[in-house]
Amino acid sequence: MFLGKRHKKETIKMNRIIVDKEDNIDLKDNAIELNIAVKKLTINIKGRVLINEINKIDEEELELTINVEPNSSLIYNRFIVHNKSNNKITLNQSHKSNAVFNYSMIANDKCNLVFNSNISGNNNETEIKVKAVTQESGSCHITSTANTLPKIENNNLIESIKILMLNNEESACIPNLLVASNEIEVNHACTISSIDKDYLFYLNGRGLSNESAVKLIKKGYLLSNLDTDEETNNKIEELIGGE
C-alpha cells in the first residue's frame, strides 16, 4: 500500500499519535500523523508504514532514530517551521527494506541538522531528500553521512540536500560518504542557492508582486519535496502562509 510513490491526490486515513512520554515506539502496517514532544525517540518500523509529521516548533532539540526491519518499507514526510533547532536523525536499515525520508523545513533562526544513514545488509533502497528555506535571521547547517558496511551488496542510496536562501545569513551543507563496499550505488547532491532572478522576472510578468512571487516559489519548492495528499498539503500551506 505504501511502498514506492503514491498518487498525490490519494487520501489515506491517518491515525494520530502524540509522543510526549515514551522514547521507543513500534509501528507496523500503519499510516500515522505523528507529533513528537520528546527530545529523544526511537521508532521501529515493521511492514508498510507511512508517517506524516507536520508542525511549527519554536525551538526543537531532537535525537530521532528509525530502525527499518527486513522486508519493511517506510515513507516519512516531515515538514517543520523552525525558529531554532538542533536535530540528529539516524536511519538504520539491514536487509530487504525500502526507506524514503522527505524533510522540508523553514528556518527562521539558527538550525542544525545531522542526518545519518546506516546500511548493514543487502537489497535495500534508500532515498533521503532535504529541502530547507532560510529567511529572517535563519541559517541552516546540514551534515549528512551515508555509512555502509563491507561485503554488502545490491543497495541503492540517494541523498539530495538543498537549501534555498531568502536572506544573507550563512548556511552550509557537509556531505560524508563512508562506503566500504563496491556493490552499492550511492548518489549525493547538495546545492545552496537563492531564488533565480529569471523565475521572479517571469512571475512579475504574469502580474505577481515580488512578495507574492517569492511566496509561490517557496510553497512549490517545499511541497515538491513531500509525498503527501491534498489534505496534508493544505495544512502545510496554512503553516507556510501563517509563519
Side-chain angles (χ1 to χ4, degrees):
M1 181 178 179
F2 308 124
L3 184 62
K5 291 291 184 180
R6 300 180 300 109
H7 194 281
K8 291 290 185 179
K9 294 185 179 180
E10 176 188 354
T11 300
I12 293 176
K13 183 178 180 181
M14 309 285 287
N15 297 308
R16 190 162 184 239
I17 295 179
I18 300 175
V19 183
D20 56 2
K21 294 180 181 179
E22 301 173 271
D23 58 5
N24 194 309
I25 61 174
D26 298 322
L27 298 179
K28 179 181 179 182
D29 292 325
N30 215 331
I32 301 295
E33 286 185 6
L34 185 62
N35 188 325
I36 300 175
V38 293
K39 290 186 177 181
K40 188 173 183 179
L41 175 65
T42 297
I43 304 176
N44 303 304
I45 302 297
K46 186 173 184 179
R48 296 179 177 180
V49 176
L50 168 66
I51 298 174
N52 287 344
E53 187 189 357
I54 314 298
N55 211 343
K56 178 179 180 180
I57 304 175
D58 287 337
E59 192 165 341
E60 181 182 44
E61 184 152 350
L62 174 65
E63 184 175 342
L64 174 63
T65 301
I66 302 168
N67 301 315
V68 184
E69 295 191 13
N71 301 302
S72 298
S73 65
L74 168 68
I75 297 176
Y76 196 128
N77 296 300
R78 187 169 214 256
F79 174 83
I80 307 290
V81 178
H82 290 292
N83 283 332
K84 293 183 179 180
S85 67
N86 188 22
N87 294 343
K88 179 182 179 181
I89 299 173
T90 301
L91 177 64
N92 297 317
Q93 293 173 259
S94 56
H95 297 284
K96 296 182 180 179
S97 68
N98 184 311
V100 178
F101 198 107
N102 306 316
Y103 192 169
S104 288
M105 62 183 289
I106 295 176
N108 293 319
D109 208 319
K110 186 175 181 179
C111 293
N112 296 307
L113 171 63
V114 175
F115 202 118
N116 298 318
S117 178
N118 301 317
I119 299 176
S120 59
N122 305 324
N123 303 304
N124 297 286
E125 297 284 335
T126 310
E127 185 173 5
I128 298 163
K129 298 186 299 178
V130 180
K131 283 189 176 181
V133 171
T134 63
Q135 59 186 27
E136 299 178 7
S137 58
S139 64
C140 197
H141 289 73
I142 301 174
T143 302
S144 62
T145 301
N147 185 23
T148 67
L149 293 183
K151 298 181 180 180
I152 61 175
E153 58 186 11
N154 298 326
N155 295 290
N156 186 21
L157 189 151
I158 300 172
E159 283 187 338
S160 176
I161 313 294
K162 297 182 179 181
I163 301 173
L164 178 64
M165 298 189 302
L166 302 183
N167 56 14
N168 294 318
E169 300 295 328
E170 182 178 333
S171 293
C173 177
I174 303 172
N176 299 307
L177 300 178
L178 307 178
V179 180
S181 172
N182 293 325
E183 301 298 325
I184 181 171
E185 182 176 346
V186 179
N187 293 287
H188 180 91
C190 179
T191 61
I192 301 175
S193 64
S194 56
I195 289 180
D196 191 322
K197 292 182 180 179
D198 289 339
Y199 292 165
L200 286 178
F201 179 79
Y202 174 83
L203 293 173
N204 292 156
R206 296 300 184 271
L208 292 178
S209 66
N210 268 8
E211 182 180 359
S212 296
V214 169
K215 286 183 178 180
L216 184 63
I217 292 170
K218 179 171 68 171
K219 181 179 74 172
Y221 172 82
L222 293 168
L223 286 176
S224 67
N225 196 49
L226 305 172
D227 185 16
T228 47
D229 60 25
E230 185 175 355
E231 182 178 344
T232 304
N233 286 349
N234 290 336
K235 295 179 182 178
I236 294 170
E237 288 185 32
E238 289 180 7
L239 286 176
I240 293 175
E243 41 77 31

